[in-house]
Amino acid sequence: MAYQVTLIPGDGIGPEVSGAARRVLEATGVQFEWDVQEAGVTALESKGDVLPDDVVESIRKNGIALKGPLTTPIGGGFRSVNVALRHALELYANLRPARTYEGVQSTFDSIDLVVVRENMEDLYAGVEFEQGTDGAHEVIDAINRISGKNVSPTAAISIKSITPENSRRIVEFAFDYASRNERKLVTAVHKANIMKFSDGLFLKVAEDVSKEYPSIEFNDRIVDNMCMQLMQKPDLYDLLVMPNLYGDILSDLTAGMIGGLGVAPSANIGENAAVFEAIHGSAPSHAGRNEANPTAMILSGVMLLRHLNEQDAAKAVDNAVASVIKAGEHVTYDLRADRSREKGAGTSDMADAIIAELNR
Ligand code: NAD
């Protein structure tokens, strides 16, 4: 029976890279019935809304989506469509594996890390007060009155909130993922030495949860030290779990370590739905040129296959991607040492080469 999957082609390079991923997934022999939905600028133009209800409903119904990158229009008061989608579906866990593929131009080799980022709270909950507004003044007055501190009345305010419930949920997700994927060590990343209450709570919950998983090693690192250690001795780490902001930053760091955005996949996972997408955005300057790297989107498709428990198909696509990148012949220009656009393969040509490898 075919899997019903919502497919959001996306904006900019989205239709090209998600089209490539769709063809590769179909070439595995796993049957899909795609429910194609528009979101982002494409939907704004056709339906007057960056995130039409139909899109959220479709993912709710199917429980799974492959999503191309979406452009957040600048100005007009638009919040990120991607953040809105994660909140609408309560996709609380952002899973970002970072593994080096031989042949990719990167400073590091043999990287095999997983970043698990909390997706729902922290400074990203959108509780902000614009500098100079009545709201900001009221909040600052209350803070100064209650805390005895002296926050300047000219300050802009962003609220960081960390709850035990969301901390527990993300740390349990990290340990469950570690158990299922034979990961040996979970590291909680925080800044609890400075933010004793918010990050301190996250760390305390992480320590508590770790006791429920005695077969997996646990430690913690302060976020700045974590960045340095990743540069110096990444081999000492395995799976990193952290609140939203640090996760956003560290997962770009790990993406950089494996060769950049073109090869970095991700998944946003909740209780009832999962959305698979590349980390990169819609890269408008590459749109319509058949030159964007489809790897990140195809590897997001590998994660989708694993989520469906189609392990053989997932492994086959992963191996095919690895072979094509290693051979270096049919890869997009950004994967070439000379970065030659003339010699680089097109997006669709790279997908064809991966499909040919799958069929070998
Ligand atoms: P971006 O990731 O779109 O592009 C940054 C640069 O990375 C590009 O100029 C390009 O050189 C390179 N790049 C990215 N993906 C590539 C690929 N597949 N192949 C080759 N090169 C690639 O980031 P941006 O320019 O900051 O954002 C553009 C738009 O995308 C914005 O509207 C932003 O809001 C949106 N965005 C969406 C998502 C998402 O949908 N999850 C994520 C990030 C940004």
Side-chain angles (χ1 to χ4, degrees), residues 13 17 67-74 80 82 86 261-262 277-286 291-296 332-334 339:
I13 59 171
V17 292
K67 172 187 162 293
L70 300 174
T71 301
T72 297
I74 295 170
S80 161
N82 302 298
R86 290 169 200 163
L261 292 175
E277 62 178 333
I279 288 182
H280 64 68
S282 54
S285 64
H286 298 285
E291 66 184 18
N293 186 348
T295 304
T332 47
Y333 82 95
D334 59 305
R339 292 186 71 85

Side-chain angles (χ1 to χ4, degrees), residues 167-179:
S167 300
R168 171 164 275 276
R169 186 165 65 165
I170 196 68
V171 178
E172 282 178 349
F173 177 93
F175 273 97
D176 287 340
Y177 181 89
S179 310

